[in-house]
Structures are given as structure tokens and as C-alpha cells.
Amino acid sequence: MTFGKGLSRKPSQPKGRQLEDEALAEVRSLLGSAPRRRDLLIEHLHKIQDRYGCLNARHLKALADEMRLSQAEVFEVASFYHHFDIVREGEAEPAALTVRVCDSVACALKGADALATALASGLDSSKVRVQKVPCIGRCANAPAVQVGKRAVDNASELAVHSAVYVGNTEPVVPDYIGLDAYLEDGGYRLLQKVRNGELKAEEIAQHALDAGLRGLGGAGFPTGTKWKIVHDLPGPKYLTINGDEGEPGTFKDRYHLERDPHRMLEGALIAAHAIEAERIYLYMRDEYPAVLEILRREIARLREAGIITSIDIELRRGAGAYICGEESAMIESIEGKRGLPRHRPPYIAQVGLFGRPTLNHNVETLFWIRDVVEKGPEWFAEQGRRGHKGFRSFSVSGRVKQPGVKQAPAGITMNELIEEYCGGMEEGHRFKAYLPGGASGGILPASLGGEPLDFGTLEKHGCFIGSHAVVVFSDKDDMRDVALNLMRFFKHESCGQCTPCRSGTEKMVTLLQDKSWDADKIADLQEVMRTASICGLGQAASNPVASVLKFFAEEGKA
């Protein structure tokens, strides 16, 4: 970054980029009465990006001055996140409208690459910028496109051109269960019992343990155990909610929040009271503008209704970084920093947000709290199959007739999920393989379609269930192409902090682009990435490649 390039300064002024009064006034107007705290840096960057369509260098300088931060700090954060567009002096600003074409695996199956090429050549580049982007969480309606903030499902060139021409660029907020309807159905009565002392924290935690409720963001750690650990630690404490479901193929959290947001919000308030948290921080991905609008509305309604009392909910907006799905990276982002995963130990339960004990939960986990307590842990536990407990929200996409979020029993098999919940395979397609847990969960062949789907059942095959993001492939799909698509995603999303992941994903893409895969080199690189990467991204990135070599070896040699 150049400082003060092309700008003159007076001898009395410091070296570097000079503060412009007009830019400072514009930034102050945008920030209004909002606090200038360091942890709000990303929120303030969003305000500038939303208003001007980019982050001009003069505004970054003004924001740094207003927040009493160095320009380097502001720049390093802004440049880390994909949804911020930095424009230096003398550079052209991006086009006024951005069209984002998802090129992750489910959309790639449905022709996303050809669609992106057609849009790039058919739209006026001076007015519209076309970008190929990672998963935007609309895999059941592939190919998916965002025109500004407006989602275009099952997108065609004509549909996107129409949205651009008409100016349909704002999100469509779907019908959902609002506060009044939720209260009529008994909502927040359970929270009141917790506040009144009718239900103790220990009882709720035990209910969660007896029900078999687990973290449903990917790790599967028992919910009740997490509550007990954080409850026993000294305050102040915080609850964080990770709504940054960026794993390709995952869209269950969006599904729940676009339909019944208060069920999750009540679960969050109950959990916060149970661990005696001071505040709740809800981190939601920027790719979900409709969900963000719903949450803004309904959290405001909770404050107005007096349901939010001593423990407030603070909504934080992600900025396009898959790595922030990792809990410590998400905490760094909430603190207004780059989303770099922390070394562990210490774990966030002991040293988390702002250095304090922190309970982190996935949206779906909190969604089930009310049902588990009101209907009893036995009710939830009995929903599973083959000895597994509870429901799971499977995000299903790919070559099935009826993709979407399927609330199915834990322990269901892939064959059962396809036939009972998805209407079978698409016409002319034969079941060949599937991702059981998103991009990082590995690839399993149809011959293992009878394995129970739950935590701990697939590790023997080198795979895992993760976020229950299921992408189904057919005999028309090449598993080499699938693995390459997934590895390109990991290369794009590596935070760059550690060399095994940063360089490893780049090198792996190069190896996979060869017509004949060098199994020895791939295996050697896999071992380095798995054992030496800081977080799960680098450790699990090569799982799909290993699966192709194990189950689809002939394709890997072709």
C-alpha cells in the first residue's frame, strides 16, 4: 500500500497519507453516535462499503483517525475479507453493481461456470461486475446467483439479466414466524421459567446430555458438557453464536432462521442465563442479507417487548471469510480483527472473546433447546435410528429430485435419505458418490450408502459427518473434477497464517490439475497439511483427494 502517493503535503504535516476533512466528515456522518471501539472496526467498514460501494483510501485514513487506529491496522483487516473492495489513489472504483455467481461444487454441477462466463460477456462491465464466488448457501437451488443482495435461485442468464435491468438488488425477506406468533405458541415461557429459578442451569444441561444434543456446527461436542464447563468458570463470560456456515453444501442455519428465528433466539437466551453470560454475540455471514434483516427486526422487537433484559444480543456481520466458521477465528473477527485461528490451548471456553470464558454454539444446536426441555430429553433421544439420538438437519443438494433441508433421524443411511426424503435420484442419474459433511468431510462411494450418518460413524472410512452438508453425485460426475473444485475452494479460503495450509492448498491444486495424479506426492503433501496446519481447514482440506484415491482410484489415474 502506498502512503501519500501523488499527494503534496505542507512541511508542518506528518509524512504519509494526509487526512482529508471531507472524508473525515463523511465517515463521521456514517458512524453517527456509534461507539468507536476497536471491536466495531468491521461493522464500521461495512457502513463505508455499503454507502460508497468500496473502501477508498481516503475513507480508510479517515476511519483510522476517527477510531484512533493506525492505517496499517485498518488496512490489514479490510484487506482480509472478500466483501471489502479497497481502492487506492488513482485506481478505478468497482462497478456500481456486483453479480456474484456461486461456483462451489453443487452449483458447478448445475452449470455455474458456463453461466458466469455468459454473464461476464453479456453484461456491461462498466456498470456490472461479475464475480465467481464460493458457496453462498443456496445449494438446493443451484446454480445460485446474487444480484447485489437479491438472491436469484435456479439462475439462468435471462433471469439474472432481468434482475439487473429491473434493478432488483435488495434482499427478499421471506414470510417467517414473528414475535407475536411465536408468543402465541408458548414462546419464551421456558425462558421465563429459567429467569424465575423454576429451572436450574444444572437441570437444563442435564436435559441436553440425556437427549444426546450435540454441537451441530461440525464438531459434535456434547452440549450439556460445554454448559457445565463454562458455568463453573469465573465471569465475566460471553455466549457466541456462529452463523457463518460457509462450508460448501451447508444451508441449514439459513433455512431455520428464515422460518422460525425466535426458536434459536430463545435457546440462546436460555443458554446465556444458564452459564451466567453478560452478553450474546451473534455472528452471521454477510451472504445472508435476508437473515440479517430478520435478525435486526426481531432482536429489536425483543428489546421493545422487554424480553431482552440484562443480557443483550449484539448482531455482528461477517464479511466473506470461510475461516471465520472456525470458532477462534470467529472470535477474532468479532473483536474487529482478521479472522486468524488461535493456537490451542487455551481453548475459548477458558480464554475466548475479549480474553474471557466463552460458550460458542451453532444456530441449529440452540434451535433444539426449547423442544428438548419442553418435550423431554427422551422425546429427542428417541428420534434417532440404529441407537443414535435426535434429529439432524441435513442440507441436501446435488443429483436428487428434491434437494433441501431434511430434518431426519440421526443414524439414517444415505440410501434412506435419498429415497425417503429426497424423492430419489434425478431422472437419468445413477447414485455414484456423496459428500457426507461438506467440502472437508471427504467423499464416499454409493457402495457405502448403507452407513449410518452421525458423529463417529464415518471416520473409519477417512470421512466425517461435520455440518451434515450432503452433496449427491451421479454416474455423470467425475470425482477428479469434484476434488479439484473443493481444493480450489480451500486454496481461496486459506487465511494464510500457516505455511502448510497456505502453500499446501496451492500446491495440491497444481498436483490435481495434472492429467495423471502423482499419488506419492499427493500423499506426502497430505501428511504435512494434516499434521502441521494450525486449524481444521488445512488439516481436513485434502480429505476429498484422499477419498478419490481410495474409492475412485481409476479416475485418479486417468
Side-chain angles (χ1 to χ4, degrees):
M1 183 176 185
T2 56
F3 290 85
K5 182 180 179 181
L7 299 178
S8 61
R9 68 178 179 90
K10 299 176 181 178
S12 60
Q13 293 174 325
K15 291 183 178 181
R17 180 174 288 116
Q18 302 304 307
L19 177 64
E20 298 181 23
D21 291 339
E22 182 182 6
L24 182 60
E26 289 168 344
V27 167
R28 285 177 172 171
S29 176
L30 283 175
L31 269 54
S33 61
R36 273 54 168 172
R37 299 196 316 265
R38 176 65 171 80
D39 63 288
L40 292 173
L41 174 56
I42 294 172
E43 296 298 307
H44 295 338
L45 287 168
H46 272 304
K47 292 175 183 177
I48 300 172
Q49 176 79 33
D50 290 344
R51 171 62 180 83
Y52 295 102
C54 62
L55 300 176
N56 276 296
R58 64 192 190 94
H59 286 137
L60 291 178
K61 165 61 178 173
L63 181 62
D65 188 81
E66 183 68 9
M67 296 188 70
R68 301 295 186 266
L69 297 172
S70 70
Q71 290 185 70
E73 286 181 275
V74 174
F75 179 82
E76 74 171 10
V77 171
S79 61
F80 183 85
Y81 296 93
H82 300 310
H83 287 192
F84 293 140
D85 298 304
I86 297 174
V87 178
R88 299 175 175 87
E89 292 91 348
E91 293 182 343
E93 294 185 356
L97 178 63
T98 297
V99 171
R100 293 185 169 97
V101 182
C102 176
D103 68 353
S104 285
V105 63
C107 289
L109 294 179
K110 301 294 184 175
D113 288 340
L115 177 61
T117 300
L119 291 173
S121 62
L123 292 169
D124 185 348
S125 61
S126 67
K127 298 178 180 178
V128 182
R129 173 177 58 166
V130 177
Q131 291 182 329
K132 293 170 70 174
V133 299
C135 187
I136 60 175
R138 308 193 73 87
C139 319
N141 305 105
V145 173
Q146 276 191 339
V147 178
K149 296 183 183 299
R150 172 71 65 98
V152 181
D153 292 335
N154 305 114
S156 65
E157 188 179 357
L158 178 61
V160 175
H161 275 271
S162 176
V164 171
Y165 179 77
V166 175
N168 288 335
T169 61
E170 293 302 313
V172 176
V173 177
D175 292 333
Y176 63 91
I177 300 171
L179 180 58
D180 293 339
Y182 188 73
L183 290 172
E184 289 176 8
D185 190 42
Y188 293 104
R189 291 179 188 170
L190 182 61
L191 173 62
Q192 194 57 46
K193 288 183 179 180
V194 173
R195 286 175 171 167
N196 292 341
E198 296 177 49
L199 268 176
K200 305 296 183 185
E202 297 82 0
E203 295 178 72
I204 304 174
Q206 194 57 50
H207 278 322
L209 283 171
D210 293 342
L213 185 62
R214 307 176 75 161
L216 296 174
F221 196 81
T223 300
T225 302
K226 291 173 71 171
W227 287 22
K228 290 181 177 181
I229 290 171
V230 180
H231 175 270
D232 293 339
L233 293 170
K237 293 175 278 192
Y238 299 104
L239 169 66
T240 56
I241 305 169
N242 196 335
D244 198 64
E245 58 171 4
E247 186 77 23
T250 311
F251 48 94
K252 63 186 178 66
D253 292 348
R254 177 180 64 81
Y255 174 90
H256 289 307
L257 293 174
E258 287 183 345
R259 288 160 176 78
D260 196 0
H262 284 283
R263 195 166 293 270
M264 183 279 294
L265 291 170
E266 182 173 15
L269 288 166
I270 290 170
H273 278 278
I275 66 164
E276 301 174 352
E278 288 200 354
R279 182 175 288 260
I280 300 168
Y281 288 84
L282 173 47
Y283 190 88
M284 182 53 54
R285 70 187 310 221
D286 196 37
E287 290 85 348
Y288 291 172
V291 171
L292 283 162
E293 179 58 28
I294 290 170
L295 291 172
R296 289 188 195 103
R297 292 179 189 177
E298 298 309 310
I299 291 172
R301 288 289 316 279
L302 290 176
R303 293 190 185 111
E304 293 167 2
I307 294 173
I308 287 180
T309 54
S310 58
I311 303 175
D312 201 0
I313 301 175
E314 189 163 333
L315 180 61
R316 292 296 180 89
R317 180 179 165 191
Y322 165 76
I323 191 62
C324 291
E326 197 276 338
E327 61 182 12
S328 67
M330 177 201 66
I331 283 175
E332 290 287 300
S333 189
I334 293 173
E335 292 180 356
K337 305 171 187 174
R338 295 174 294 167
L340 300 178
R342 297 176 179 177
H343 291 274
R344 294 180 290 184
Y347 295 92
I348 69 164
Q350 289 83 32
V351 183
L353 186 62
F354 307 125
R356 302 305 309 166
T358 301
L359 173 64
N360 182 57
H361 269 314
N362 168 259
V363 167
E364 188 191 356
T365 305
L366 297 170
F367 182 87
W368 288 114
I369 295 295
R370 178 183 167 191
D371 282 337
V372 166
V373 178
E374 287 186 347
K375 297 180 180 180
E378 298 82 6
W379 167 83
F380 187 81
E382 290 170 357
Q383 303 306 317
R385 294 184 184 178
R386 300 176 179 87
H388 299 273
K389 295 182 178 182
F391 284 114
R392 298 288 186 267
S393 297
F394 291 90
S395 305
V396 185
S397 60
R399 304 296 193 182
V400 293
K401 289 181 179 177
Q402 300 167 13
V405 173
K406 312 296 178 180
Q407 287 191 354
I412 193 172
T413 68
M414 192 65 235
N415 292 332
E416 292 168 342
L417 189 63
I418 291 173
E419 296 303 321
E420 296 177 28
Y421 288 84
C422 300
M425 296 291 291
E426 290 179 339
E427 294 299 330
H429 290 265
R430 180 170 53 83
F431 180 34
K432 176 181 180 179
Y434 63 104
L435 299 182
S440 56
I443 306 171
L444 288 172
S447 60
L448 293 175
E451 289 287 330
L453 300 177
D454 201 6
F455 297 107
T457 63
L458 305 177
E459 281 75 3
K460 60 189 176 185
H461 302 299
C463 299
F464 55 80
I465 195 66
S467 61
H468 296 76
V470 175
V471 183
V472 182
F473 304 107
S474 78
D475 55 330
K476 304 292 193 297
D477 303 315
D478 188 327
M479 293 301 102
R480 294 171 303 166
D481 293 340
V482 170
L484 179 57
N485 176 285
L486 298 175
M487 189 53 62
R488 283 174 172 157
F489 165 80
F490 288 122
K491 174 188 172 184
H492 182 266
E493 293 299 324
S494 174
C495 74
Q497 180 178 194
C498 67
T499 303
C501 177
R502 181 184 65 250
S503 298
T505 52
E506 181 178 6
K507 179 62 176 177
M508 187 67 77
V509 167
T510 301
L511 290 174
L512 299 188
Q513 288 172 333
D514 289 343
K515 292 183 178 180
S516 180
W517 289 7
D518 188 322
D520 291 336
K521 287 184 178 179
I522 289 174
D524 183 58
L525 184 56
Q526 284 176 344
E527 182 65 19
V528 173
M529 292 172 65
R530 286 176 174 172
T531 58
S533 295
I534 289 174
C535 78
L537 192 158
Q539 294 164 8
S542 63
N543 284 347
V545 181
S547 295
V548 171
L549 289 172
K550 181 176 181 180
F551 299 115
F552 307 96
E554 293 307 311
E555 294 188 27
K557 294 176 182 177

